[in-house]
Amino acid sequence: MSLPVQTQAKYWSIAIAVLALALWYLGDVILPFVLGGAIAYFLDPVADRLESAGLSRTAATVIITFIAVMVFVISFLLVIPTLIEQSLALANAAPDLFSKLYTFLTDRFPSLLDAQSTLRQSLEALGQKIQDRGGELVGTVLSSAMGVINIVILLVVTPVVAFYLLLDWDRMVAKVDNMLPRDHAPAVRQIASEIDRTLASFIRGQGSVCIVLGTYYAVALMLVGLQFGLVVGFIAGLITFIPYVGALVGGTLAIGLGLFQFWGDWWSLGAVAAIFMLGQFLEGNILTPKLVGSSVGLHPVWLLFALSAFGSLFGFVGMLIAVPVAAAIGVIARFFIARYQAGLLYQGLSGRIEADHGDAD
C-alpha cells in the first residue's frame, strides 16, 4: 500500500526545498561537480559505443579522457588566448567604433542630430559611458570570474569528477533505479526516459550544433579578414541554441564591425553576410535535423525564462542546471496533463460513458 498523496507531496516538497537551499548556499562549491556531471552525461554515449566495440568501460573512459584533455590543451594554448585578446581589443576599440558611428550619422542625418536633439544627447551619453567603461568591463569580468584559485580548482576538480562519473555512469543509473519506490517505478522510469531523450536531443544535439556553427563562423570570418572574427563566431555559436538569435546577433555584430572595417569594399561585406546566410542554411537543413531531430520539447520562450530565472536565483550554476530542470519540468507537466486528460475530472461522466461505449463496440 502506497503512502497517501499528502504525505508524498510533503516529502517531495522537503526534497525540493533542500535542493534549492543547497544550490543557494553551495553554488560556487558545487560548480565543478555540476560541470563534471554535464561532461559525463555528454560523453556517456561515446563510452557506450566504445564498449559495444569491445572495450571495457575503464579503457573507454581512459581513451575519452585522453582525447578530451588533448583537445582542451590545444584549445587553451591556441584559441583561448586569442579569444581573450580579441575580447579585450574589442572592448578597448568600442569608443573608436562609436565615434565613427556618430560621425557617420552626423554626416548623413544632420537634422536628427542638432544640438537640442534627444537622439544626439542620448548618443553622447552612451559614448561617454562606453569610453569610461569599455576597457574596464572585460577586465572586471575576467578578474571576478577567473580568480586564480577558483580557476585552478575548476580545472583540476572538473576533469576528475567527469572521469569518475563517466566510469561509473551505468552503475549509478542502476543504483538509482533500484532505489525507486516500487509502486511508482514504472511511471518514474517513463518520465526519466523521456527527460533523457529531451536532454539528449537538446544538450548533446544542440550542443554539437553550437560547436560546429561557432567554429564555422569564427574560421570563416577570420579567413575573410574581419577583425574580432573569433569573438563574433564564439558569441554566435554560444547562443545558437536559441533559434535564429545566434545568427541574428552574430550577423548584426559582424556586419556592424564590417561596415567600419570594409566600408567601400562591398565584396568583403557581402562575404560576411553570405557566411551567416550559409550558416543558417546549414543549421536549418543539415545540422539541426541530423543532430537534434524534429522535436526537442523545449520551447525557446520557456528556455529563456528558465535561464533568466535560475541565473537570477542561483548564479552561474543556476544557468547550468536551467536546461535540465526546464526539460524535466516540461516532461513532468506533459505527463500529468496526459493523466488529467485521461481522468474523470477532465472527461466527466459523459466522456467516460462515450469511452465505455467505444470499447464495447
Side-chain angles (χ1 to χ4, degrees), residues 1 12-13 19 23 47 52 59 88 122 125 128 166 185 188 192 234 247 265 268 284 345 355:
M1 181 177 179
W12 282 111
S13 300
L19 178 60
L23 290 175
S52 300
L88 291 171
S122 300
Q128 186 62 40
L166 184 60
V188 173
F234 176 79
D265 185 1
S268 296
L345 179 62

Side-chain angles (χ1 to χ4, degrees), residues 58-286:
T58 302
T61 304
V62 170
I63 291 173
I64 293 172
T65 303
F66 176 77
I67 295 174
V69 169
M70 293 302 298
V71 171
F72 174 78
V73 170
I74 293 173
S75 301
F76 188 81
L77 294 177
L78 298 180
V79 178
I80 294 179
T82 304
L83 180 63
I84 295 175
E85 180 183 353
Q86 288 196 8
S87 299
L88 291 171
L90 178 60
N92 292 326
D96 182 57
L97 294 175
F98 179 83
S99 177
K100 291 181 179 179
L101 174 63
Y102 184 82
T103 303
F104 175 84
L105 292 175
T106 303
D107 292 341
R108 286 162 178 76
F109 307 102
S111 60
L112 298 177
L113 297 173
D114 58 86
Q116 303 301 322
S117 172
T118 303
L119 178 59
R120 176 169 183 168
Q121 294 175 2
S122 300
L123 286 175
E124 287 178 349
L126 179 61
Q128 186 62 40
K129 183 173 294 187
I130 291 175
Q131 189 171 4
D132 294 339
R133 300 291 185 180
E136 179 184 341
L137 176 61
V138 174
T140 301
V141 171
L142 292 175
S143 62
S144 60
M146 292 190 174
V148 175
I149 297 178
N150 291 335
I151 289 298
V152 170
I153 293 175
L154 197 65
L155 295 179
V156 172
V157 175
T158 300
V160 175
V161 172
F163 175 85
Y164 283 109
L165 289 180
L166 184 60
L167 180 63
D168 296 328
W169 191 268
D170 293 337
R171 287 195 291 269
M172 289 189 303
V173 172
K175 287 285 187 181
V176 172
D177 183 78
N178 289 332
M179 294 174 63
L180 294 177
R182 297 298 92 186
D183 289 342
H184 304 293
V188 173
R189 291 191 188 108
Q190 177 186 344
I191 294 173
S193 177
E194 191 170 345
I195 291 173
D196 179 65
R197 284 196 298 270
T198 302
L199 287 179
S201 298
F202 190 87
I203 295 180
R204 294 171 184 151
Q206 195 63 59
S208 300
V209 171
C210 291
I211 292 172
V212 171
L213 278 181
T215 303
Y216 159 72
Y217 287 138
V219 172
L221 291 174
M222 292 176 69
L223 289 177
V224 170
L226 180 69
Q227 292 178 341
F228 317 117
L230 182 62
V231 177
V232 175
F234 176 79
I235 294 173
L238 186 65
I239 58 177
T240 294
F241 67 91
I242 307 173
Y244 307 109
V245 173
L248 180 62
V249 173
T252 302
L253 184 58
I255 293 174
L257 293 171
L259 285 173
F260 296 110
Q261 182 179 346
F262 301 129
W263 183 260
D265 185 1
W266 307 118
W267 286 107
S268 296
L269 280 175
V272 171
I275 287 170
F276 282 90
M277 293 175 63
L278 178 59
Q280 277 295 283
F281 174 81
L282 293 174
E283 178 189 359
N285 295 277
I286 298 176

